[in-house]
Amino acid sequence: MLVVALGAAIGGARWVGNSEPPPPPPRPDIPLDAWVPYWTLDSAMPETDRLGSMRDVSPFWFNAVGVDQIVIDPNAGADLTSSFMDAAKGSTANVVPSIVDAMPAGGMAALLADPTSRTEHVDAVARFAADGDFDGVDIDYEQFAFADGRDTWAATRPNWVAFITELGARLHADGRTLTVSVPPIYDTGQTSDSGYWVYDYGAIAPHVDHIRIMAYDFSVDEPGPIAPLQWVESAITAALDATDAPEKLVLGLPAYGRNWPTGVTGECPADLVEGRTSVTAATVDDLMARRNATPVFVPETGEWMFEYDLEVTDGVTSCVQTRQVHFVGGGGVRARMDLARQYQLDGVSLWAFGFDDEGVWDAILPNVSDPTATDSATSTIPTTGD
């Protein structure tokens, strides 16, 4: 009886000796970064007091257009960009400008494939950072992903890693940081289901301070969610599998949406018909009020959506366009931020400063860490083998 009873007790007990440890609790707070595109500056400038809550702020109007040429986007207004840069440098935030690949398709890939031009480009980026007295740079080279074609990725991938390795060493030697902003991966493979594996998260992680995961733009051409929660989580877990470095990962937070035409009745005037447009957390309430639309929350995606009819006429011909809007509001931004906290990532980055409204800030500020508590501008990557 004793043996039977003891066996039953052991059989009913939970064996913990070889079990996985429980996951750590979510981070109580998390650093906040933000990109600041030139086209949001009208909205962002009155809110520059918000810069004090940010760790890194990335002015988004610098274009790489050649081996040694990094220029201001011609559409960026000189007065606004200068005023914002003054405000950023006068704040406690680290100023880490984004440099965008503005070369034709295949141009940057060819540049990086040649060791001489690659080093010249590293020199140009380092000189840009030094001349601007910036705390670091953010490399946002998206042409590989969206213009060059997947058949180029196997050749581009090692050249990209060589570039990031060389650039990281150079910037860290200068006392500056290196961030890269890249589209998501979904596993650690190199298949059509693996996401944007050209960026080789695992190989670049040791050489950068942060990898910003652009976990948004899930739906672009066709109506649908911007950054469905399950998809965002898959991008996080794949990045963790590839890098094993949550301390390097920063999750991009969308504060925007899109507005698509989905149907039409009648004959539309050709020059008045709108195609796909954008909304932001700051502008979507006005759109709903003007169109008398009521949003519906979609729990599966963590986003809102609504539809409305738009009459279009030039006085001669007219039509009614049905339009569908999907957007991420303040609560959705917070839900994605909570995923970053759950997985112990080293930060979140708002796309974009100027898209936000009070609802976004009310949702996220309670868990934004104090950026002045540590000196984020100092790289944690040693420049020697010591």
Side-chain angles (χ1 to χ4, degrees):
M1 293 291 293
L2 179 60
V3 172
V4 172
L6 183 59
I10 294 174
R14 180 173 177 268
W15 175 249
V16 297
N18 293 322
S19 65
E20 290 291 327
R27 291 181 62 141
D29 51 27
I30 193 167
L32 174 67
D33 303 333
W35 292 280
V36 192
Y38 64 83
W39 58 89
T40 69
L41 288 177
D42 283 331
S43 300
M45 280 303 300
E47 302 292 327
T48 52
D49 58 316
R50 299 284 192 191
L51 295 172
S53 64
M54 299 177 192
R55 174 182 59 186
D56 293 352
V57 60
S58 293
F60 197 87
W61 51 80
F62 295 101
N63 294 342
V65 296
V67 173
D68 58 357
Q69 293 177 288
I70 299 170
V71 300
I72 294 176
D73 191 291
N75 296 306
D79 290 342
L80 276 175
T81 54
S82 178
S83 295
F84 183 85
M85 195 66 81
D86 288 344
K89 288 190 172 183
S91 74
T92 56
N94 301 313
V95 181
V96 182
S98 297
I99 302 174
V100 174
D101 175 8
M103 297 179 69
M108 185 61 71
L111 186 162
L112 299 187
D114 178 73
T116 299
S117 61
R118 185 168 65 228
T119 295
E120 290 175 354
H121 193 52
V122 167
D123 291 342
V125 173
R127 187 166 55 251
F128 163 83
D131 290 348
D133 193 24
F134 300 129
D135 298 294
V137 295
D138 166 41
I139 298 296
D140 186 358
Y141 287 2
E142 298 180 42
Q143 292 287 74
F144 308 147
F146 302 116
D148 291 2
R150 297 180 68 93
D151 59 340
T152 68
W153 289 4
T156 298
R157 179 174 156 122
N159 300 327
W160 159 255
V161 172
F163 167 63
I164 293 300
T165 301
E166 188 173 350
L167 179 60
R170 177 67 178 274
L171 291 175
H172 294 143
D174 291 345
R176 295 185 169 87
T177 60
L178 174 58
T179 296
V180 295
S181 294
V182 290
I185 56 172
Y186 311 130
D187 58 44
T188 57
Q190 298 181 33
T191 72
S192 58
D193 296 324
S194 298
Y196 297 95
W197 53 264
V198 64
Y199 294 99
D200 201 345
Y201 280 41
I204 65 172
H207 306 287
V208 304
D209 296 273
H210 292 115
I211 296 174
R212 291 178 181 170
I213 309 168
M214 298 188 294
Y216 39 78
D217 279 356
F218 179 82
S219 302
V220 178
D221 295 330
E222 298 294 331
I226 304 303
L229 286 171
Q230 186 174 3
W231 177 77
V232 172
E233 188 169 14
S234 72
I236 293 173
T237 56
L240 287 169
D241 288 343
T243 64
D244 194 28
E247 72 279 4
K248 298 290 184 78
L249 299 178
V250 174
L251 180 67
L253 302 179
Y256 71 93
R258 286 200 169 90
N259 181 347
W260 290 268
T262 59
V264 64
T265 57
E267 182 181 351
C268 293
D271 56 344
L272 295 180
V273 176
E274 285 190 334
R276 183 185 71 233
T277 59
S278 296
V279 297
T280 71
T283 64
V284 71
D285 285 348
D286 177 68
L287 175 63
M288 288 188 290
R290 286 188 290 111
R291 303 306 177 198
N292 195 29
T294 301
V296 174
F297 185 69
V298 184
E300 294 80 8
T301 65
E303 300 183 17
W304 294 87
M305 66 87 64
F306 62 91
E307 291 185 316
Y308 64 93
D309 289 334
L310 177 65
E311 184 176 2
V312 183
T313 182
D314 61 0
V316 178
T317 60
S318 64
C319 68
V320 175
Q321 203 181 46
T322 300
R323 301 188 66 90
Q324 186 177 112
V325 179
H326 292 255
F327 69 97
V328 181
V333 174
R334 171 56 188 260
R336 288 149 184 82
M337 179 181 185
D338 286 346
L339 279 175
R341 293 172 56 229
Q342 174 187 334
Y343 283 97
Q344 306 284 310
L345 305 191
D346 193 48
V348 292
S349 189
L350 188 66
W351 179 260
F353 188 39
F355 288 173
D356 48 273
D357 65 354
E358 286 299 321
V360 170
W361 290 104
D362 289 346
I364 66 176
L365 277 181
N367 287 106
V368 170
S369 62
D370 179 0
T372 65
T374 59
D375 183 8
S376 300
T378 302
S379 171
T380 58
I381 302 176
T383 57
T384 72
D386 295 342

